[in-house]
């Protein structure tokens, strides 16, 4: 202990050390490589010295422990390239030594590496490998840690349902363990963030409160600044609830945490930005816009370009409220420009939403891009969720195949080797054929969806052009025809005062007849305008009929559709119509893929100021209590929730399936939308 203290004191006076014994120097190199008071170059130098000692040692358990320590030092220095290389090295050595604990740990380290590089499928594959081994060797604590890492990855990729399941599995394990408050904090914090994303705010606050309580454990290092992190998350929940006054104290408490600026500068900048936004939305002006600019400068100095987007959007909102439109547009454009260089589409969606508000002249352009990116994001989230499931399936399948092959090779390696090769070749050939057919089908389906979307846009443009032409024609008829004739009659009526009564009476009858003709012309113009409105309203129904026609032409099942004539489509907003279209598309796709139905019914009804969509089939059905919802059904529930609606699924094996979506009709929803 005295030696370490002495060396630490010497560190402040000189930057190199003379150590005679390599064996004795390894702990010192490891300590210095992790010393936050040393420069990056010195930490790198000490990590390399430690590695030069360990690499030549015998491949035993101590050697692998030291390799993990060195990898950890590189991770703390954000030298992910070296971290990856050493993690792969220790994995190879662990496999040679058949050390299951080290193999699982190495997979977990590699999962962290790919997660930091945002290569989600590789990260998930390594976490899943670690999870399997920890399960086999009954290492519950490390299993829980791995489940938390996997859940975090799934959350970041938008797979909220599976992320929630993984967190609760980790909690089930941790509740049987002792002294695990740091991991309990990770679980509660992640659940709080997850429920906040799903707008279940009461649950989000409940779990963030549990996370704060877990931090009462004094053994959790204060330099991690977890309390400030949770206070920020609670404040953000209140922002999402539009309760800005309640959010402010949490951000202020977070900023007062000891050494926050030094230990977690990026978190300090986030709290400062969120505090400024909560003040702005609650009507307070103290510290504004300085809070935004201070946060922006800190993030810029740290090179955190993506987090600067939030500052720029908030500043754009602030200047828009001050009627400084030029500055508001400039900041929104800067945010959009930076966000487009990011792989996270959510950043671009937020910037597009803000610039559409402050730049109404070009709002239609930004709105179209927003819709396209939103669809792309949903597809990417679904694809990643499916990829995660496929990784688990393929990993288990490979394991089972290897086990079977090993058993067969013990007794029949010579007799059946040729048959096995032929069978494997045939299997691969058939599997590849099936995959090619599936890929071709998906490509055709994607092209069809894009054609439908393009058709919707083109129809909308054509209708808008028709409306403009019709308005011009009506204006011309009113000006050149009706107004001209009325002006002539008015002049003639003025002249009646200058003629005798007998002659004036006959002329008055003639002018009354002309006025009746003008009245009839105005009535015909009014009827033309009503017909135009009816055509616009029915446009959404025509688009749906195109979808139904494609369904009938592509699949053998009979499709029956019914539209309630009482539905007032002009009261339905664009957002609701787009979501309804996607829900019907998803519902039909589920019927085609899983139901094996002979008859599919799609029905729209108007019930007590609610628009009710019912999709019913006579297929094989499923047990709604035992079968977990797939990504498709989650998307339907999400789209219905966006419209403040509800989803009900009724099904049983052999009794078909009924999907009912109920959406309230609010006339005010359509005040700022044009019909499709």
């Amino acid at each position: 202990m005295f030696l370490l203290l002495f060396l630490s004191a010497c560190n402040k006076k000189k930057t190199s050390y003379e150590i005679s014994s390599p064996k004795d120097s390894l702990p010192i190199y490891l300590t210095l490589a992790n010393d936050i008071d040393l420069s990056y170059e010195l930490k790198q130098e000490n990590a390399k010295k430690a590695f030069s000692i360990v690499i030549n040692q015998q491949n035993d358990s101590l050697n692998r422990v030291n390799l993990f320590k060195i990898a950890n030092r590189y991770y703390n220095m954000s030298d992910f390239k070296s971290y990856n290389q050493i993690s792969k090295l220790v994995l190879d050595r662990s496999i040679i030594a058949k050390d299951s604990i080290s193999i699982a740990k190495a997979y977990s380290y590699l999962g962290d590496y790919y997660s930091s590089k945002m290569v989600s499928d590789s990260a998930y594959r390594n976490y899943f490998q670690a999870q399997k081994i920890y399960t086999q060797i009954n290492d519950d604590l490390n299993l829980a840690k791995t489940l938390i890492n996997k859940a975090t990855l799934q959350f970041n990729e938008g797979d909220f349902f599976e992320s929630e399941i993984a967190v609760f599995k980790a909690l089930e394990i941790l509740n049987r363990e002792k002294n695990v408050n740091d991991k309990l904090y990770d679980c509660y914090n992640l659940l709080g963030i997850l429920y906040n994303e799903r707008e279940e705010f009461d649950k989000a606050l409940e779990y963030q409160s549990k996370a704060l309580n877990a931090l009462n454990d004094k053994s959790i290092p204060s330099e991690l600044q977890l309390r400030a992190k949770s206070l920020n998350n609670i404040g953000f929940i209140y922002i999402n609830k539009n309760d800005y006054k309640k959010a402010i104290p949490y951000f202020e408490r977070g900023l007062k945490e000891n050494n926050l600026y030094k230990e977690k500068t990026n978190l300090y900048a986030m709290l400062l930005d969120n505090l400024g936004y909560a003040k702005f939305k609650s009507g307070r002006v103290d510290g504004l816009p300085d809070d935004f600019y201070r946060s922006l400068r800190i993030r810029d100095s740290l090179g955190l370009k993506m987090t600067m987007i939030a500052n720029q959007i908030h500043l754009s909102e602030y200047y828009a409220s001050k009627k400084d439109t030029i500055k508001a547009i400039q900041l929104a454009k800067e945010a959009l420009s930076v966000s487009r260089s990011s792989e996270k589409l959510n950043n671009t969606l937020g910037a597009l939403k803000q610039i559409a508000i402050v730049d109404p002249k070009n709002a239609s352009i930004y709105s179209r891009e927003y819709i396209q990116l939103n669809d792309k994001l949903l597809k990417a989230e679904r694809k990643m969720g499916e990829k995660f499931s496929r990784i688990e399936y393929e990993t288990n399948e490979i394991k089972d195949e290897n086990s079977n092959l090993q058993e067969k090779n013990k007794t029949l390696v010579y007799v059946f080797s040729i048959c096995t090769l032929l069978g494997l070749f045939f299997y691969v050939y058939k599997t590849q054929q099936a995959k090619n057919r599936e890929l071709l089908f998906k490509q055709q389906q994607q092209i069809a969806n894009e054609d439908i979307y393009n058709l919707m846009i083109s129809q909308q443009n054509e209708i808008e052009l028709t409306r403009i032409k019709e308005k011009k024609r009506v204006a011309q008829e009113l000006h050149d025809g009706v107004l001209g004739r009325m002006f002539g009659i008015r002049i003639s009526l003025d002249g009646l005062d200058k003629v005798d009564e007998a002659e004036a009476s006959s002329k008055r009858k003639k002018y009354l007849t002309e006025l009746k003709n003008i009245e009839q012309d105005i009535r015909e113009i009014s009827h033309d305008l009503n017909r135009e409105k009816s055509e616009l309203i029915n446009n959404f129904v025509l688009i749906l009929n195109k979808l139904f026609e494609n369904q009938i032409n592509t699949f053998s099942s009979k499709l029956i559709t019914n539209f309630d004539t009482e539905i007032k489509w002009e009261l339905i907003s664009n957002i609701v119509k787009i979501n309804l279209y996607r829900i019907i598309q998803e519902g039909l796709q589920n019927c085609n893929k899983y139901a094996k139905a002979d008859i599919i019914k799609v029905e729209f009804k108007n019930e007590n100021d609610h628009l009710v969509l019912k999709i019913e089939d006579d297929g094989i059905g499923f047990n709604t209590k035992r079968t977990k919802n797939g990504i498709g059904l989650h998307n339907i529930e999400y789209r219905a929730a966006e419209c403040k609606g509800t989803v009900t699924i009724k099904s049983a094996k052999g009794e078909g399936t009924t999907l009912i979506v109920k959406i309230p009709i609010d006339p005010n929803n359509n005040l700022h939308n044009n019909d499709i």
Side-chain angles (χ1 to χ4, degrees), residues 40 48 84 98 104 198 201 221 235 251 341 376 412 432 441 483 528 571 574 598 604 615 671:
Y40 177 83
K48 288 176 182 177
N84 180 42
K98 297 181 180 179
R198 288 182 8 190
F201 300 121
F251 297 134
S341 64
K376 184 178 179 181
L412 304 171
Q432 192 61 42
F441 173 76
L483 290 177
D528 287 342
L571 300 181
N574 262 356
D598 295 322
F604 276 102
I615 303 175
L671 291 176

Side-chain angles (χ1 to χ4, degrees), residues 306 309 312 331-342 351:
M306 294 305 107
I309 296 169
Q312 291 163 335
L331 286 159
K333 284 184 176 179
E334 289 175 2
L336 182 60
S337 176
V338 174
S339 69
R340 282 173 171 159
S341 64
S342 165

Side-chain angles (χ1 to χ4, degrees), residues 5-253:
L5 289 171
F6 174 76
L7 287 170
S8 178
C10 290
N11 175 46
K12 297 180 181 178
K13 297 182 180 180
K14 57 183 180 178
T15 58
S16 61
Y17 306 90
E18 295 180 2
I19 303 168
S20 58
S21 171
K23 183 178 179 181
D24 294 335
S25 65
L26 179 61
I28 298 172
Y29 290 144
L30 290 172
T31 301
L32 294 173
N34 216 32
D35 190 345
I36 61 173
D37 293 325
L38 287 182
S39 67
Y40 177 83
E41 289 75 17
L42 281 175
K43 287 190 285 186
Q44 277 279 341
E45 180 182 345
N46 284 288
K48 288 176 182 177
K49 288 179 179 178
F51 180 72
S52 66
I53 295 172
V54 175
I55 189 63
N56 296 316
Q57 291 177 342
Q58 184 181 353
N59 180 20
D60 55 19
S61 59
L62 180 60
N63 173 258
R64 293 188 290 276
V65 167
N66 286 329
L67 282 171
F68 280 123
K69 288 180 179 179
I70 295 170
N72 182 266
R73 271 50 175 181
Y74 280 119
Y75 187 90
N76 292 340
M77 286 187 277
S78 299
D79 184 354
F80 295 112
K81 182 179 179 181
S82 300
Y83 174 80
N84 180 42
Q85 291 172 347
I86 295 176
S87 297
K88 287 181 176 178
L89 173 63
V90 73
L91 175 61
D92 292 339
R93 291 193 172 189
S94 301
I95 292 172
I96 292 170
K98 297 181 180 179
D99 181 356
S100 297
I101 295 175
S102 295
I103 292 171
K105 189 173 182 178
Y107 278 130
S108 182
Y109 272 42
L110 288 170
D112 292 341
Y113 166 77
Y114 286 114
S115 182
S116 69
K117 293 296 181 181
M118 293 187 289
V119 185
S120 299
D121 52 349
S122 296
Y124 189 90
R125 185 176 288 106
N126 283 283
Y127 284 142
F128 183 66
Q129 291 280 20
Q131 177 188 339
K132 282 172 52 185
I133 297 172
Y134 284 135
T135 302
Q136 291 168 0
I137 63 178
N138 297 318
D139 189 344
D140 287 344
L141 185 57
N142 280 314
L143 174 59
K145 293 177 182 177
T146 305
L147 286 169
I148 294 169
N149 290 335
K150 194 174 79 166
T152 303
L153 180 66
Q154 290 168 319
F155 170 81
N156 289 335
E157 292 300 332
D159 193 0
F160 297 153
F161 181 75
E162 293 297 332
S163 175
E164 183 182 11
I165 291 174
V167 178
F168 279 115
K169 283 182 180 178
L171 277 174
E172 184 179 358
I173 295 169
L174 293 172
N175 286 329
R176 300 193 298 265
E177 302 288 329
K178 295 180 179 178
N179 301 321
V180 290
N181 282 322
D182 56 333
K183 294 304 166 191
L184 286 172
Y185 169 85
D186 291 337
C187 290
Y188 294 140
N189 181 57
L190 181 54
L191 285 171
I193 297 171
L194 194 151
Y195 286 124
N196 184 40
E197 283 292 320
R198 288 182 8 190
E199 298 184 353
E200 295 180 48
F201 300 121
D202 291 336
K203 279 188 175 182
L205 289 170
E206 175 188 347
Y207 282 106
Q208 286 296 350
S209 177
K210 288 184 176 182
L212 276 176
N213 289 335
L215 295 177
N216 292 329
D217 184 350
K218 301 301 180 183
S219 66
I220 299 175
S222 61
E223 60 265 25
L224 296 177
Q225 293 293 349
L226 299 181
R227 187 173 300 277
K229 182 179 178 181
S230 284
L231 290 169
N232 176 72
N233 292 342
I234 293 173
F236 194 70
I237 293 169
Y238 281 115
I239 282 182
N240 286 344
K241 289 183 71 176
N242 298 324
D243 195 348
Y244 304 104
K245 289 184 178 179
K246 279 191 178 180
I248 291 172
Y250 289 98
F251 297 134
E252 290 176 336
R253 284 170 56 191

Side-chain angles (χ1 to χ4, degrees), residues 207-393:
Y207 282 106
Q208 286 296 350
S209 177
K210 288 184 176 182
L212 276 176
N213 289 335
L215 295 177
N216 292 329
D217 184 350
K218 301 301 180 183
S219 66
I220 299 175
S222 61
E223 60 265 25
L224 296 177
Q225 293 293 349
L226 299 181
R227 187 173 300 277
K229 182 179 178 181
S230 284
L231 290 169
N232 176 72
N233 292 342
I234 293 173
F236 194 70
I237 293 169
Y238 281 115
I239 282 182
N240 286 344
K241 289 183 71 176
N242 298 324
D243 195 348
Y244 304 104
K245 289 184 178 179
K246 279 191 178 180
I248 291 172
Y250 289 98
F251 297 134
E252 290 176 336
R253 284 170 56 191
L255 287 167
K256 291 177 182 177
E257 287 294 308
N258 291 334
N259 298 321
L260 175 62
Y261 184 85
K262 178 182 177 182
E263 293 168 349
K264 292 288 179 182
T265 311
N266 57 338
L267 178 57
Y268 181 91
M270 184 183 295
L271 279 159
L272 197 59
D273 179 43
N274 287 337
L275 174 62
Y277 188 71
K279 285 180 180 178
F280 160 63
K281 298 297 283 187
S282 64
R284 284 176 53 178
V285 296
D286 53 300
L288 297 180
D290 292 342
D291 287 346
F292 293 134
Y293 281 113
R294 282 176 60 203
S295 175
L296 185 63
R297 285 192 295 270
I298 293 170
R299 285 169 163 170
D300 188 32
S301 67
L302 295 173
L304 304 174
K305 296 294 182 184
M306 294 305 107
T307 59
M308 289 168 61
I309 296 169
N311 289 105
Q312 291 163 335
I313 291 174
H314 291 164
L315 279 166
S316 177
E317 285 189 56
Y318 173 82
Y319 284 113
S321 71
K322 300 297 182 183
K323 308 300 182 184
D324 191 345
T325 307
I326 295 174
K327 204 158 191 176
I329 293 174
Q330 177 191 345
L331 286 159
K333 284 184 176 179
E334 289 175 2
L336 182 60
S337 176
V338 174
S339 69
R340 282 173 171 159
S341 64
S342 165
E343 294 180 359
K344 291 291 183 182
L345 296 180
N346 281 326
N347 292 333
T348 309
L349 290 176
L352 283 170
K353 185 176 180 181
Q354 176 60 19
I355 199 168
I357 294 171
V358 298
D359 189 6
K361 291 182 180 179
N362 299 307
S364 60
I365 298 172
Y366 297 124
S367 297
R368 281 197 297 272
E369 185 179 352
Y370 182 96
I371 293 171
Q372 291 171 351
L373 279 182
N374 191 47
D375 284 348
K376 184 178 179 181
L377 176 64
L378 292 174
K379 288 178 183 177
E381 289 176 352
R382 175 187 294 179
K383 186 177 179 181
M384 187 55 68
E386 291 172 348
K387 185 176 286 188
F388 287 164
S389 300
R390 188 163 60 250
I391 287 169
E392 291 194 17
Y393 172 79

Side-chain angles (χ1 to χ4, degrees), residues 505-521:
S505 176
S506 63
K507 287 186 177 181
R508 193 177 290 112
K509 289 179 181 179
K510 176 183 176 182
Y511 297 147
L512 286 172
T513 303
E514 183 64 16
L515 284 173
K516 288 180 181 178
N517 292 335
I518 292 172
E519 178 185 354
Q520 182 61 31
D521 289 345

